[in-house]
Amino acid sequence: MSTNHLITGSGSLLDEEGRLREAGYALQPPFEYSHERIAAHPMRIKDWDYYLVQDAEYAVALTFSDLGYIGLVSASVMHFPTRTFKTTSELVLMPLGSMGLPTSSNEGDVVWSNKRCRVSFAHVPGGRRLSFFMARFDKDQDLDVELYLDQVPQDSMVICTPWPNNPKAFYYNQKILGMRARGGFRRGAEFHEFCADEALGLLDWGRGVWTYDNVWYWAAAQGHVDGHVVALNLGYGFGDTTAASENMAFVDGVAHKLGRVDFGIPCSDGEGYAYLDPWHVTDDEGRLDLRFDPTIDRVDTINVVGVVQSDQHQVFGALTGTIVLDDGTALHVEGLPASAEHIHNRY
């Protein structure tokens, strides 16, 4: 049986020495995050907002992050019928917290621009409005995105994670899945509209101080199953998750806590993984038995003078199998849209 500590505290996330006050999980953010309490150097502070909106044909991912000594403004467009993708990133040198990411996921907006990009992630009544523009996203084609997310679920995944060998490192993360999405994007002459009765969106909101070299696994799924919105958040490998995992299933916005998981990524004949072969996703309590059928491996690498390095595999596909809910109900999903990533970062 897995151990998962439900956080009961409130107030400041960090104590007076900059240490995480309570490790564990919650369904809504329990703590106040502030740079003033952080004991690490500003170059070690990592703040980011990541949004993903998808339907059966396309997915759009938007990243806005201030990682201390480098910032990242990034967009990806995935086209499932042709199994193609395009990712373009704009790097910002030495932002040191100046990019204006808010300290709360519930309020405060991102408003930022440079000569190439314009970004606005704004809270509006009932939801969030995302506006993103990047010149020369795909060769000479600009990318223009306008999205609105609403029907925010009652529960989300929140985790407070320390690192075992660095008491002043921590990860404060909220993932909101299964929001209704509408709007669209234009890439050059191409336009795609996301319709509210089909498209869903998620937010990955992260704040913290990390150690330099990390590997993580994260999967997110969201879709409609027999008239219900079903979502999954699964992950492991990042920090010390002894107090709690981030693994949850959601049905119509109600969370069902899961234990420890393994993605069962198949190995290739040589070294490494065969990311585009079927995966077998399981857990330690017999509540997950899922086959992940990949369609796109979104590969992205960053290497800035050997100091800032990122090797990313974000694999898009679909999940089929069984999820056992908290009351013992076996929920069958077939072709549930999902992404699952394996990322190694050094920064």
Side-chain angles (χ1 to χ4, degrees):
M1 180 68 68
S2 298
T3 300
N4 283 289
H5 171 66
L6 178 64
I7 292 171
T8 57
S10 60
S12 176
L13 175 72
L14 306 176
D15 65 18
E16 294 181 355
E17 296 182 352
R19 300 167 184 252
L20 193 65
R21 290 179 54 231
E22 185 175 0
Y25 82 97
L27 302 182
Q28 292 295 333
F31 296 125
E32 299 168 2
Y33 171 74
S34 171
H35 282 188
E36 283 70 26
R37 287 260 182 171
I38 294 176
H41 191 279
M43 288 200 300
R44 303 305 311 155
I45 300 173
K46 316 295 183 190
D47 295 346
W48 79 90
D49 289 2
Y50 167 87
Y51 287 93
L52 174 72
V53 169
Q54 67 186 94
D55 59 17
E57 188 175 1
Y58 279 97
V60 172
L62 305 174
T63 302
F64 186 80
S65 59
D66 185 330
L67 306 175
Y69 49 81
I70 198 164
L72 181 70
V73 182
S74 180
S76 297
V77 175
M78 279 64 62
H79 186 229
F80 300 126
T82 59
R83 301 190 175 197
T84 57
F85 71 90
K86 175 62 178 177
T87 296
T88 304
S89 300
E90 175 86 346
L91 298 180
V92 181
L93 295 179
M94 299 297 289
L96 296 173
S98 67
M99 294 177 69
L101 282 92
T103 58
S104 169
S105 62
N106 294 320
E107 59 185 10
D109 301 333
V110 167
V111 180
W112 185 89
S113 64
N114 69 1
K115 292 182 179 180
R116 185 183 188 187
C117 303
R118 296 192 304 273
V119 182
S120 173
F121 297 161
H123 289 81
V124 295
R128 301 165 187 261
R129 184 175 297 280
L130 314 179
S131 299
F132 186 100
F133 173 82
M134 178 179 283
R136 305 179 306 281
F137 168 76
D138 191 351
K139 298 180 181 178
D140 62 345
Q141 296 181 329
D142 300 342
L143 177 68
D144 203 346
V145 183
E146 291 288 338
L147 298 167
Y148 177 67
L149 305 178
D150 66 357
Q151 292 190 352
V152 179
Q154 73 170 45
D155 294 337
S156 62
M157 192 296 301
V158 182
I159 194 165
C160 299
T161 302
W163 263 263
N165 300 319
N166 187 338
K168 295 179 181 179
F170 65 92
Y171 175 50
Y172 189 33
N173 179 227
Q174 181 184 27
K175 295 189 174 82
I176 306 173
L177 295 96
M179 292 181 281
R180 184 173 64 173
R182 48 194 147 150
F185 72 88
R186 186 179 301 278
R187 174 172 52 178
E190 173 191 17
F191 176 77
H192 179 73
E193 181 180 5
F194 290 104
C195 298
D197 60 349
E198 181 183 358
L200 294 171
L202 65 83
L203 167 63
D204 174 13
W205 183 93
R207 304 291 186 267
V209 172
W210 307 353
T211 53
Y212 175 66
D213 194 330
N214 289 283
V215 174
W216 74 66
Y217 301 81
W218 174 46
Q222 49 187 1
H224 297 90
V225 179
D226 297 330
H228 300 280
V229 175
V230 174
L232 276 170
N233 185 84
L234 308 173
Y236 57 100
F238 195 51
D240 179 4
T241 58
T242 303
S245 76
E246 63 175 275
N247 303 317
M248 293 184 186
F250 301 87
V251 179
D252 293 331
V254 177
H256 300 257
K257 189 70 183 74
L258 302 170
R260 312 289 162 165
V261 302
D262 184 88
F263 286 178
I265 310 173
C267 294
S268 64
D269 292 337
E271 295 182 357
Y273 292 116
Y275 290 104
L276 290 174
D277 289 347
W279 306 13
H280 186 201
V281 182
T282 57
D283 74 313
D284 63 350
E285 297 179 342
R287 295 177 58 183
L288 288 180
D289 188 0
L290 299 166
R291 186 185 74 245
F292 179 53
D293 294 308
T295 57
I296 295 174
D297 178 10
R298 188 193 69 81
V299 181
D300 193 22
T301 58
I302 298 171
N303 190 333
V304 181
V305 296
V307 176
V308 178
Q309 297 177 318
S310 183
D311 183 5
Q312 306 177 15
H313 289 266
Q314 185 184 32
V315 183
F316 288 83
L319 290 168
T320 297
T322 302
I323 307 163
V324 178
L325 305 179
D326 286 346
D327 64 359
T329 300
L331 174 66
H332 182 74
V333 298
E334 186 166 354
L336 184 71
S339 63
E341 63 186 36
H342 174 209
I343 292 180
H344 182 191
N345 284 329
R346 300 176 77 239
Y347 52 62

